[in-house]
Amino acid sequence: MSVRVERDKETGVAVVTLDRPEKHNAITLDMARELGSVWRGFRYEDEVRAIVVTGAGGRAFCTGIDRSAEVPQPSSPYTIDDPLIAIGPKANDLWKPVVAAVEGMACGGAFYLLGEAEFLIAGESATFFDPHTAYGMVSAFETVHMAQRMPYGEIARMALMGTAERVSARRAYETGLVSEVTEPGRALEAAREAAAVIASYPTEAVQGTVRALWSTKEASRAQALAHAPHLVALGNLPADRQAELFTSRRTGFRTR
């Protein structure tokens, strides 16, 4: 397994680390299952009152699902099997606050996790992008998650520009995706500090506040996510064609 969990009993903060730095912390099927188990387990750990999620190595927070993962799909055009659909805390009914600490790249399937965090703290060298359209894939689940925390024009541009552009930490801060930008390498430290403050408050009040915040957008988010499987099934190119586009992908990009 490549998900590491550290617990600080003194502060009440747990740190969940995606630990495949040699693969940019891309998520395997085993990691996806483990993440779900970790979030569900925290519901029963009263000593854990706030959580930080991050990626190991500094080069990437996460680059989505590992492209070598084989995910068999049902033949019905009305459903898909998405192994990342339950990798986030809210999908696992966890209402303890989660702070994301982002260094390096965060793209594609990483948005399932970032979209279910309360707020993001990023190192100055962090970048955000969504490669789906460049590889003939519909960005549906990812854009729904991120549209809850970015202006429409910003998430639309990021999704449609694919691999040609990356959003800098500064631009992400300006548009509200990121709540704080730190010096490179300090995002985790800042996230721990913020989480420790939150964990010092009565957890019943904190969890109730998280639940209240999520209730403001839950209905529209659930409705949008219900459309996502059909859009993916209809719009994705066949896997072999996606692979061709991936191997011939462009290497240049603009950071804004």
Side-chain angles (χ1 to χ4, degrees), residues 131-246:
H132 279 74
T133 54
Y135 304 145
M137 303 166 68
V138 176
S139 179
F141 292 96
E142 296 80 5
T143 51
V144 169
H145 281 295
M146 298 303 272
Q148 309 302 311
R149 57 196 333 141
M150 295 177 73
Y152 177 87
E154 288 297 316
I155 183 60
R157 178 168 179 158
M158 183 166 68
L160 295 173
M161 291 297 288
T163 57
E165 281 191 352
R166 297 185 184 184
V167 177
S168 68
R170 286 293 169 189
R171 182 58 182 163
Y173 174 77
E174 292 169 356
T175 58
L177 172 60
V178 168
S179 66
E180 179 182 352
V181 178
T182 72
E183 295 177 2
R186 284 205 66 249
L188 177 56
E189 180 184 350
R192 281 182 184 268
E193 292 172 357
V197 171
I198 298 168
S200 73
Y201 301 149
T203 190
E204 295 84 358
V206 169
Q207 291 187 55
T209 300
V210 171
R211 195 68 185 87
L213 285 166
W214 275 81
S215 69
T216 65
K217 56 187 179 181
E218 199 165 33
S220 60
R221 179 174 175 268
Q223 186 176 27
L225 286 173
H227 291 291
H230 313 302
L231 299 175
V232 171
L234 288 168
N236 274 17
L237 290 180
D240 57 346
R241 183 67 181 120
Q242 292 178 30
E244 289 176 18
L245 292 173
F246 184 78

Side-chain angles (χ1 to χ4, degrees), residues 4-189:
R4 177 161 40 91
V5 181
E6 303 167 74
R7 298 166 176 83
D8 186 330
K9 292 183 178 180
E10 184 175 343
T11 63
V13 175
V15 177
V16 177
T17 303
L18 306 179
D19 196 9
R20 291 185 78 213
E22 73 286 357
K23 295 292 186 181
H24 293 137
N25 300 314
I27 298 174
T28 65
L29 300 185
D30 284 342
M31 286 173 68
R33 287 188 285 268
E34 189 175 4
L35 281 165
S37 178
V38 165
W39 299 125
R40 290 191 298 274
F42 281 145
R43 296 181 302 170
Y44 301 96
E45 295 186 39
D46 292 343
E47 66 275 15
V48 173
R49 299 181 296 280
I51 300 113
V52 174
V53 61
T54 192
R59 295 174 60 200
F61 170 80
C62 174
T63 54
I65 193 166
D66 191 307
R67 285 194 60 85
S68 66
E70 294 186 10
V71 185
Q73 293 296 328
S75 59
S76 170
Y78 301 104
T79 185
I80 62 169
D81 188 357
D82 184 347
L84 301 187
I85 200 166
I87 64 168
K90 307 306 182 294
N92 288 281
D93 200 32
L94 177 70
W95 300 101
K96 296 177 181 181
V98 176
V99 181
V102 181
E103 300 280 359
M105 295 182 291
C107 65
F111 298 162
Y112 287 72
L113 284 171
L114 297 182
E116 293 196 3
E118 270 51 71
F119 56 90
L120 280 61
I121 295 176
E124 197 164 16
S125 59
T127 57
F128 304 82
F129 63 102
D130 189 346
H132 279 74
T133 54
Y135 304 145
M137 303 166 68
V138 176
S139 179
F141 292 96
E142 296 80 5
T143 51
V144 169
H145 281 295
M146 298 303 272
Q148 309 302 311
R149 57 196 333 141
M150 295 177 73
Y152 177 87
E154 288 297 316
I155 183 60
R157 178 168 179 158
M158 183 166 68
L160 295 173
M161 291 297 288
T163 57
E165 281 191 352
R166 297 185 184 184
V167 177
S168 68
R170 286 293 169 189
R171 182 58 182 163
Y173 174 77
E174 292 169 356
T175 58
L177 172 60
V178 168
S179 66
E180 179 182 352
V181 178
T182 72
E183 295 177 2
R186 284 205 66 249
L188 177 56
E189 180 184 350

